[in-house]
Amino acid sequence: MSAQAAQQMGLRVIVLDSDPNCPGAQVTPFRVKMDWNSDIGAAELAQLASSITLENEWVSPSNLLLAKQLGSTVIPEPHTLSIIGDKFRQRTAFAERGLPSPRFCAISSWDDLYKAAENWGGKVVLKSRRGGYDGYGVKIVHLPINDKDLPLSEPDEWYAEEFVPFDRELAVIVGKNSSGETAIYPVVESRQTTDGHRCDVVIAPAPNVDTELTRLVQDICLSAVDAVEGIGLFGVELFSRNGEIIINEIAPRPHNSGHYTMDGCRTSQFEQHIRMVRNLPPGPTHLIAPVVVMANLLAPRHGQINLEKSVSDAYRICPNIHLHWYGKSVLREGRKMGHLNLLGDDLDDTLSLVLAARDAFWRGVP
Amino acid sequence: MSAQAAQQMGLRVIVLDSDPNCPGAQVTPFRVKMDWNSDIGAAELAQLASSITLENEWVSPSNLLLAKQLGSTVIPEPHTLSIIGDKFRQRTAFAERGLPSPRFCAISSWDDLYKAAENWGGKVVLKSRRGGYDGYGVKIVHLPINDKDLPLSEPDEWYAEEFVPFDRELAVIVGKNSSGETAIYPVVESRQTTDGHRCDVVIAPAPNVDTELTRLVQDICLSAVDAVEGIGLFGVELFSRNGEIIINEIAPRPHNSGHYTMDGCRTSQFEQHIRMVRNLPPGPTHLIAPVVVMANLLAPRHGQINLEKSVSDAYRICPNIHLHWYGKSVLREGRKMGHLNLLGDDLDDTLSLVLAARDAFWRGVP
């Protein structure tokens, strides 16, 4: 989706990926056929591209640094990726900025975990420092701790966070370009699947967030970008409990919680992403309807679907939806395959309509 | 732009064109490398694609018929292309429907032209039946007619129309799917370049068009689509003089006068185009701001530009613009290279801002 936004602005897009069926390779004829995280791939791309950006935060900072040394503008900066890529460093950066954070500590032996659990009420969140997402790499550990509750990997690959009960998750998309100009999107609510691990629905604006709280949350998010010395586009996730806010984490790229912007804001997060990468001024970020709801199309099972029928069924239930399908080649249970956006005037109506359309997408029209 | 809309909805897009640098070939890796108007190209495409549509109306109806016979859904229908491709037949179809039209007649010898000029006040518009666009294939002829005023080609390649003075040009985008569902966009004003031949700026909604006139114009446009037995997406152009309306012509594809919809309407004409081609229900067509202005980026000269600088200069003047660049490889004076959209509350402000941004695009920031 960033590639398409770049193309609309006249940029030629080259995708670094060895997979000819990856979503990016379906929207441009220009591809470097190497692993997206290989150093020779990064070097080859740097020969061809004046600007390099990424769609996931697991690209190795050293490969990005190599591309930068070879003369490409790389955004987000390798340095930012180093901070974000290690969740303990990310958490430390937020705390050093004074952002509202849970208590947390590094773990050099499992004894550190026991101590943290004792100090924090008997319950600790154990988080993988690297590579976690959508609930992977997160364990909740209770006292008394059994050895079988502990991961098999080394203690120092993890860190501990205080367990913070929360009512809901909020999120904000923030853009910042090299000139220091910023774009800040509305505060939205991100509702998770019942297993709690994947974004299911995003509601913009977040219900029951007044002007004062909006400003507070947006300030935290701008500071979070500064804390990681961020340039580019970022998705910031936060927890909220009775209006009290804690920062969760930051992603250095367009984010699932910002997909609603594609049809719901004056400037989509993808156009904004490209503007930030190219050091262009931010576009307007406001909503174009009182309510915008995004519903993820998470694959309900492995296997195939009849996409033509599914698309048609969804539109028949609600012609006002905008359907986005990412062109991933394989359905895998829980995988994000696409999303639906719907604009409306009333939250309940809009939410139930988009969910009905999603139901029709996967299960057909009754 | 239609290709990108199709991809967002999960469709794989194959472009039929021999030119590897054509805009379509820049946004998909799938291309049939043959002339877009060859029969073997059409046959090859029909083997690969379940649906076929077009981006210009000069594709031969017989090639489209061939693709249809080979099993592809072809929209617009070859039959519609036959009517539209011959402007005399198109004009006849409108007149038979009772749509407000200028007087017109076929020409089998130049004598017919003299007679028409005498009957219609000494002035006649001579129009090429095939292939004219943007002022090409249109001649205004006055009495007394000199032989050197006449085209070199045969008289029956032309037809004559009464000269109708008009204040301004209006336009409407209309969609219709195979199930008969229609989408109708706002009435817009299309302002031409000073030579009168190319669309320069489009203003949505058209100023000083009240509800009653809007309904009248939209009814004419829906009838015009019916007159050519149209399925797909159409741009309808009309002339207006003191509120009196005359239909000019219809294009069976997304139209320059509808580019404002990309950022200015709930559903862009390109998404609507794909919905119509796939027989999906129409999306909402209303404007998302009180005023939307589209300014074409017509090349001021032959040669090259520094696109990066031009884009940056335009955004610096007005960050709220949305810039679209088509990726055509060569600048040619007067060629449509892209466009700018700007949303606003006040027409004068919005128009002057977008023109300032356009000026900066071509000439730099003062």
Side-chain angles (χ1 to χ4, degrees):
Chain A
M1 295 178 273
S2 289
Q4 292 193 318
Q7 288 167 336
Q8 293 215 349
M9 290 162 69
L11 296 165
R12 185 159 283 206
V13 176
I14 307 165
V15 168
L16 172 62
D17 203 304
S18 53
D19 177 5
N21 296 316
C22 76
Q26 294 173 38
V27 299
T28 174
F30 309 111
R31 182 163 64 97
V32 174
K33 294 173 193 175
M34 289 185 219
D35 187 87
W36 54 260
N37 209 10
S38 67
D39 54 355
I40 45 167
E44 176 84 15
L45 194 60
Q47 305 298 326
L48 297 167
S50 58
S51 291
I52 294 179
T53 189
L54 45 81
E55 59 143 33
N56 76 54
E57 57 272 38
W58 303 315
V59 178
S60 140
S62 64
N63 290 344
L64 291 177
L65 195 60
L66 174 64
K68 190 176 168 178
Q69 283 160 347
L70 290 170
S72 283
T73 302
V74 177
I75 288 175
E77 292 269 6
H79 177 61
T80 299
L81 262 281
S82 302
I83 302 172
I84 290 178
D86 176 347
K87 286 193 180 167
F88 178 72
R89 277 190 73 188
Q90 185 187 140
R91 184 51 87 196
T92 305
F94 292 155
E96 284 173 352
R97 272 261 156 181
L99 299 179
S101 306
R103 287 180 286 184
F104 69 102
C105 67
I107 294 176
S108 51
S109 78
W110 294 123
D111 273 349
D112 297 338
L113 181 65
Y114 299 126
K115 276 179 224 152
E118 277 165 12
N119 291 334
W120 301 342
K123 199 171 179 183
V124 160
V125 187
L126 191 59
K127 289 193 170 181
S128 174
R129 289 177 68 148
R130 296 186 177 279
Y133 75 105
D134 277 358
Y136 299 105
V138 176
K139 286 171 180 286
I140 295 179
V141 180
H142 301 260
L143 281 180
I145 300 174
N146 273 322
D147 279 357
K148 69 174 172 52
D149 297 336
L150 297 175
L152 296 173
S153 49
E154 291 302 308
D156 61 4
E157 294 176 22
W158 300 79
Y159 78 101
E161 261 185 32
E162 182 184 3
F163 178 82
V164 180
F166 59 88
D167 319 315
R168 57 175 179 161
E169 294 193 40
L170 303 177
V172 178
I173 299 295
V174 182
K176 187 170 183 181
N177 66 18
S178 310
S179 303
E181 293 168 303
T182 57
I184 187 140
Y185 281 85
V187 178
V188 303
E189 180 176 332
S190 170
R191 295 191 179 167
Q192 311 306 301
T193 51
T194 44
D195 67 4
H197 293 330
R198 278 180 205 87
C199 174
D200 183 38
V201 164
V202 167
I203 295 165
N208 306 316
V209 172
D210 63 17
T211 318
E212 199 186 338
L213 186 56
T214 297
R215 190 156 312 143
L216 171 72
V217 171
Q218 290 180 328
D219 282 350
I220 291 171
C221 294
L222 285 167
S223 296
V225 170
D226 286 345
V228 298
E229 297 167 42
I231 300 168
L233 194 94
F234 297 85
V236 186
E237 294 177 292
L238 313 101
F239 296 132
S240 157
R241 190 189 189 190
N242 299 329
E244 198 190 331
I245 302 294
I246 277 191
I247 188 160
N248 179 21
E249 60 180 30
I250 190 167
R253 51 166 170 80
H255 192 256
N256 195 173
S257 69
H259 286 355
Y260 77 93
T261 63
M262 295 182 81
D263 304 291
C265 289
R266 283 279 179 98
T267 307
S268 88
Q269 68 168 345
F270 298 101
E271 178 179 335
Q272 202 74 275
H273 179 204
I274 302 305
R275 287 186 187 223
M276 299 301 98
V277 168
R278 301 291 286 179
N279 198 25
L280 295 169
T285 57
H286 49 281
L287 291 168
I288 63 173
V291 175
V292 184
V293 178
M294 187 285 304
N296 270 331
L297 293 168
L298 301 172
R301 56 183 179 275
H302 296 249
Q304 303 283 318
I305 58 161
N306 178 340
L307 184 61
E308 184 175 349
K309 181 175 184 308
S310 289
V311 169
S312 174
D313 287 345
Y315 277 114
R316 289 288 153 204
I317 292 294
C318 179
N320 288 1
I321 55 163
H322 299 274
L323 191 147
H324 302 271
W325 186 256
Y326 309 149
K328 294 177 181 173
S329 47
V330 185
L331 239 61
R332 221 166 42 218
E333 193 180 333
R335 193 178 193 196
K336 291 171 186 167
M337 305 301 296
H339 68 271
L340 305 177
N341 282 335
L342 182 62
L343 284 63
D345 294 317
D346 174 83
L347 174 55
D348 290 342
D349 293 351
T350 310
L351 186 57
S352 60
L353 255 175
V354 77
L355 294 182
R358 182 170 71 176
D359 212 54
F361 182 91
W362 292 119
R363 289 190 206 136
V365 175
Chain B
M1 294 177 274
S2 290
Q4 292 193 317
Q7 289 167 335
Q8 294 215 348
M9 290 161 69
L11 297 166
R12 185 159 283 206
V13 176
I14 307 165
V15 168
L16 172 62
D17 203 304
S18 54
D19 177 5
N21 296 316
C22 77
Q26 293 173 40
V27 299
T28 174
F30 310 110
R31 183 163 63 96
V32 174
K33 294 173 193 177
M34 291 184 215
D35 188 88
W36 54 260
N37 209 8
S38 67
D39 53 356
I40 45 166
E44 176 86 14
L45 193 60
Q47 304 299 326
L48 298 168
S50 59
S51 291
I52 294 178
T53 188
L54 45 81
E55 60 143 33
N56 76 54
E57 58 272 39
W58 302 315
V59 178
S60 139
S62 64
N63 290 345
L64 291 177
L65 195 60
L66 174 64
K68 191 177 168 177
Q69 283 160 348
L70 289 170
S72 283
T73 302
V74 176
I75 289 175
E77 292 269 5
H79 178 61
T80 299
L81 263 280
S82 301
I83 301 172
I84 291 178
D86 176 348
K87 286 192 180 167
F88 177 71
R89 276 190 73 188
Q90 185 187 139
R91 184 49 89 197
T92 305
F94 292 154
E96 284 173 352
R97 273 260 156 180
L99 299 179
S101 305
R103 287 181 285 185
F104 69 101
C105 66
I107 295 174
S108 51
S109 78
W110 293 124
D111 272 351
D112 296 335
L113 180 66
Y114 298 127
K115 276 180 223 149
E118 277 165 10
N119 291 336
W120 301 341
K123 199 171 179 182
V124 160
V125 186
L126 191 59
K127 288 192 170 182
S128 172
R129 290 177 67 147
R130 296 186 177 277
Y133 75 104
D134 279 357
Y136 298 105
V138 175
K139 285 171 180 286
I140 295 178
V141 179
H142 300 260
L143 282 179
I145 299 174
N146 273 322
D147 278 355
K148 69 174 172 55
D149 297 336
L150 297 175
L152 296 174
S153 48
E154 292 302 307
D156 60 6
E157 296 177 20
W158 300 79
Y159 78 102
E161 261 184 31
E162 182 184 3
F163 178 82
V164 179
F166 59 89
D167 319 315
R168 57 174 178 160
E169 292 193 41
L170 303 177
V172 178
I173 299 295
V174 182
K176 188 171 184 181
N177 67 16
S178 309
S179 302
E181 293 168 302
T182 57
I184 187 140
Y185 281 85
V187 178
V188 302
E189 180 176 333
S190 171
R191 296 190 179 167
Q192 311 306 302
T193 52
T194 45
D195 66 6
H197 292 331
R198 277 180 207 88
C199 174
D200 183 37
V201 165
V202 167
I203 295 164
N208 306 317
V209 172
D210 63 18
T211 317
E212 198 187 341
L213 185 57
T214 297
R215 191 155 312 144
L216 171 73
V217 171
Q218 289 181 328
D219 282 349
I220 291 170
C221 294
L222 284 168
S223 297
V225 170
D226 286 344
V228 298
E229 297 167 43
I231 299 170
L233 194 95
F234 298 84
V236 186
E237 294 177 293
L238 313 101
F239 296 132
S240 157
R241 190 190 189 189
N242 299 329
E244 197 191 333
I245 302 295
I246 277 190
I247 190 161
N248 180 18
E249 63 181 28
I250 190 168
R253 51 165 170 79
H255 192 254
N256 195 173
S257 69
H259 286 354
Y260 76 94
T261 64
M262 294 183 82
D263 305 291
C265 289
R266 283 278 180 101
T267 308
S268 88
Q269 68 168 345
F270 297 102
E271 179 180 336
Q272 202 75 274
H273 179 205
I274 301 305
R275 288 187 186 221
M276 299 301 99
V277 167
R278 300 292 286 179
N279 198 26
L280 295 169
T285 56
H286 50 281
L287 291 167
I288 63 173
V291 175
V292 183
V293 179
M294 188 286 305
N296 271 330
L297 293 169
L298 302 171
R301 55 182 180 275
H302 297 246
Q304 303 283 318
I305 58 161
N306 178 341
L307 184 60
E308 184 177 348
K309 182 177 182 307
S310 289
V311 169
S312 174
D313 287 345
Y315 277 114
R316 289 287 152 207
I317 291 295
C318 179
N320 289 0
I321 56 164
H322 298 274
L323 190 147
H324 302 271
W325 186 256
Y326 309 148
K328 294 178 182 174
S329 47
V330 185
L331 241 61
R332 219 165 43 218
E333 193 180 333
R335 194 179 193 195
K336 291 171 187 168
M337 305 302 296
H339 68 272
L340 305 178
N341 283 336
L342 182 61
L343 284 64
D345 295 315
D346 174 83
L347 174 55
D348 290 342
D349 292 352
T350 310
L351 186 57
S352 61
L353 255 174
V354 77
L355 294 182
R358 182 169 72 176
D359 213 55
F361 181 91
W362 292 119
R363 287 187 209 141
V365 176

